[in-house]
Amino acid sequence: MHEHQYRVMKHITLALGRTLEASAAEALGKKVRVAYEYSPDLKKAPGGFTVLHCGLARRGGNADREYERTSEGERFRNPPVLLRARYVVSCWAPSPDDQELLGVALRTFHDHAEVEVQGEEEATVAPYEGRPTIEMEALGFDEHKKVAEALGIPLAPSVAYWVDFVIQSGRTTPIKRVRERVMDFKKIDG
């Protein structure tokens, strides 16, 4: 286990932003800023994106304890917590360029349906299940308005995404193997 696996949501957020930034630069031929909180200057040309974490839910799946083999021996790790994080990607630019940015975001995560991590992120984001999947969820106007009010941002073209991930337990139990068993049979007089 990676000792910093609790950073998983931060690493997912940064990976989503990197993917979006690279895709926008390729599609539009210019750098488009990605921010993780709203700022009014994002609306200035060429615009920008916000990637905002706005929800968390449990999900189903295999939550059995995990077997590990380390240099210190064998052990079981307590069951993981299986979760889904909800992100809202909003597009900021003068209209109708903001809609073009929304199209870039939609295509980006349609083409990249898994979180693309690098370096240290690989150990925290995808410890054993593989890379987390990204699933789109359209925002209705009423829900979009509530999310914007809750986050303290104006309405902008936006889309929501669910990302499945795992939080591993830090607790382990060593496995003690029996190396040799000696059985001694004695005759009991009776």
Side-chain angles (χ1 to χ4, degrees), residues 21-167:
E21 189 173 51
S23 182
E26 182 183 323
L28 302 172
K30 59 187 173 190
K31 184 176 178 169
V32 179
R33 183 175 162 210
V34 175
Y36 303 100
E37 61 185 3
Y38 173 72
S39 173
D41 67 320
L42 287 169
K43 279 195 106 136
K44 297 175 186 169
F49 298 99
T50 52
V51 177
L52 305 170
H53 177 266
C54 69
L56 198 59
R58 288 198 125 189
R59 66 179 173 90
N62 182 8
D64 292 335
R65 65 184 179 166
E66 303 164 325
Y67 169 80
E68 295 178 354
R69 183 181 299 242
T70 66
S71 60
E72 300 163 7
E74 297 173 297
R75 63 185 179 190
F76 283 116
R77 180 168 303 284
N78 282 1
V81 179
L82 307 177
L83 297 166
R84 300 185 88 196
R86 188 172 193 217
Y87 291 88
V88 171
V89 175
S90 296
C91 306
W92 307 97
S95 191
D97 292 341
D98 55 355
Q99 296 164 36
E100 181 180 41
L101 292 179
L102 180 62
V104 168
L106 290 166
R107 189 175 74 186
T108 296
F109 296 121
H110 176 67
D111 290 345
H112 304 273
E114 292 181 341
V115 176
E116 296 177 5
V117 292
Q118 60 189 23
E120 177 191 358
E121 296 170 347
E122 187 74 37
T124 60
V125 174
Y128 63 90
E129 272 197 345
R131 293 186 175 160
T133 57
I134 303 168
E135 182 183 326
M136 187 188 90
E137 178 186 28
L139 284 171
F141 180 75
D142 290 334
E143 183 183 7
H144 188 184
K145 187 176 171 185
K146 287 178 185 176
V147 169
E149 286 174 6
L151 295 173
I153 62 174
L155 285 175
S158 302
V159 63
Y161 290 96
W162 286 101
V163 178
D164 293 349
F165 70 99
V166 173
I167 295 284

